[in-house]
Amino acid sequence: MEIRYLDLGEVTPEIYTALWEYDNVIDLKEPTFIKFSTITPYVQFWQGPYWDKKTQEWKNDYTDLSTFYNSKELAGVPLCRCYIKIELNYGADIAYYIASPNGTDFILYVPDSDKNKRKNIDNMFQKTLCEILGDRNINTKIDGNDVYFELNGTYKKFSGSLYRPATNGFGYVDNGITYSFDSELANKLRRITNEINIKKFEVEDISEVAGGVWEVDPTIDRDELDFEVVQRMSNHLGYTIRQDTLTRDEENLLFERGHRRMTDKEWYLHGNNNSFDIY
């Protein structure tokens, strides 16, 4: 069976924002593997909807992000609250992600999905990253949904993952590789004080616990490693790769959705999703 492989390279913040909800914008009809990165440094906020184990239903939080959007520290940096269902509770009001041109993101859509299948693919993805870096003599470890590399006896996070149900019976799994981490931007965000319980490491300088794999080996060929991830994951899942590109209509739909996410104040400040179509 084939998997549609979309290597999108560097994309605008609008496209980048929309790709996390690709299945709410594009009608999923086949297994799909997307590789991409942002063209500019970019801060994303993640909040859900989240799965309530007690009531067995999806619920929303409406945390006010005005403090971040109005902060002088982040002036000129693109910000966005992304829409993505969160199947696993991370014990905070909201999470953040520092996107950078020096990082690669992967999104995988597979059919006939249930939660166990998604979890197994997530584990497969993490182990594949560890194997590939191990082949390059880099020690790694997995902790929850994060993967760490070892440098001089210290482990640093370079990868995080998430899985969820998608449309048309598909499952969604994402993962990423940080090659060079923008700790300066992350520390600016972390210094903004408010009452929001944001997911973060309890350290003064985030570079102590998070980084990029080029810190260990600056000679790593990023394009080679990225495609090795795609090849190994596709092989593990029994797919042959069919390289493809977004159609003009698909690209326009994604840009439109991302632009609205970044400019609709009810959404990006308060998490009010009422003006968006969700399938």
Side-chain angles (χ1 to χ4, degrees):
M1 180 181 291
E2 290 187 334
I3 188 165
R4 183 189 189 198
Y5 173 50
L6 299 170
D7 180 356
L8 304 183
E10 292 185 345
V11 298
T12 65
E14 291 85 356
I15 298 288
Y16 191 88
T17 297
L19 284 170
W20 304 108
E21 55 174 323
Y22 175 92
D23 54 310
N24 285 323
V25 182
I26 308 299
D27 185 20
L28 273 178
K29 296 180 179 178
E30 61 183 333
T32 302
F33 209 147
I34 309 172
K35 181 177 81 72
F36 61 104
S37 61
T38 176
I39 200 168
T40 185
Y42 178 36
V43 176
Q44 291 187 312
F45 298 100
W46 303 64
Q47 192 171 46
Y50 67 94
W51 182 250
D52 189 318
K53 288 185 178 180
K54 291 183 179 180
T55 63
Q56 293 290 294
E57 61 183 344
W58 293 101
K59 291 187 176 180
N60 292 283
D61 282 328
Y62 301 98
T63 302
D64 187 340
L65 299 183
S66 298
T67 303
F68 296 106
Y69 276 87
N70 296 330
S71 69
K72 293 181 180 179
E73 290 86 348
L74 299 177
V77 178
L79 310 176
C80 188
R81 183 196 296 254
C82 295
Y83 180 90
I84 185 167
K85 289 180 175 179
I86 297 174
E87 204 159 26
L88 298 177
N89 192 305
Y90 47 71
D93 294 333
I94 201 162
Y96 73 91
Y97 177 51
I98 304 298
S100 163
N102 292 318
T104 300
D105 293 290
F106 305 92
I107 294 176
L108 178 63
Y109 287 101
V110 292
D112 305 318
S113 171
D114 59 29
K115 188 173 181 179
N116 285 334
K117 184 175 181 180
R118 294 190 287 274
K119 181 179 180 180
N120 290 338
I121 294 174
D122 179 54
N123 291 338
M124 181 192 300
F125 220 136
Q126 292 179 314
K127 290 177 181 177
T128 298
L129 291 182
C130 293
E131 290 169 0
I132 290 172
L133 290 178
D135 292 343
R136 291 162 172 79
N137 299 313
I138 297 176
N139 294 326
T140 57
K141 73 172 184 179
I142 298 170
D143 184 7
N145 70 321
D146 298 327
V147 185
Y148 296 72
F149 64 78
E150 188 267 335
L151 178 64
N152 299 325
T154 298
Y155 280 93
K156 291 187 175 185
K157 174 183 173 179
F158 73 94
S159 174
S161 63
L162 185 150
Y163 57 86
R164 63 170 176 83
T167 57
N168 298 342
F170 280 73
Y172 164 109
V173 180
D174 74 42
N175 212 310
I177 301 172
T178 301
Y179 289 91
S180 178
F181 180 56
D182 192 341
S183 59
E184 182 179 352
L185 178 54
N187 282 327
K188 284 182 180 180
L189 172 69
R190 287 158 48 85
R191 286 193 292 266
I192 298 171
T193 56
N194 54 40
E195 297 178 354
I196 299 174
N197 176 24
I198 194 166
K199 184 184 180 185
K200 61 182 180 181
F201 292 101
E202 296 302 325
V203 293
E204 187 68 25
D205 182 356
I206 190 65
S207 68
E208 297 175 21
V209 292
V213 294
W214 279 336
E215 292 179 39
V216 187
D217 183 357
T219 69
I220 288 175
D221 185 312
R222 173 180 173 175
D223 292 336
E224 179 183 284
L225 195 154
D226 286 349
F227 192 60
E228 191 171 344
V229 171
V230 174
Q231 284 182 312
R232 289 202 191 185
M233 282 299 298
S234 298
N235 289 340
H236 288 325
L237 294 168
Y239 292 121
T240 57
I241 296 170
R242 188 185 86 250
Q243 300 206 25
D244 201 2
T245 58
L246 291 172
T247 67
R248 180 63 61 85
D249 285 346
E250 289 173 333
E251 188 171 351
N252 288 341
L253 287 169
L254 288 166
F255 184 89
E256 179 185 4
R257 174 58 66 99
H259 180 73
R260 288 181 61 207
R261 288 290 184 200
M262 298 183 73
T263 57
D264 185 318
K265 285 188 177 181
E266 277 300 304
W267 165 250
Y268 71 74
L269 290 183
H270 308 293
N272 183 345
N273 201 50
N274 290 342
S275 64
F276 293 86
D277 293 327
I278 300 296
Y279 303 106

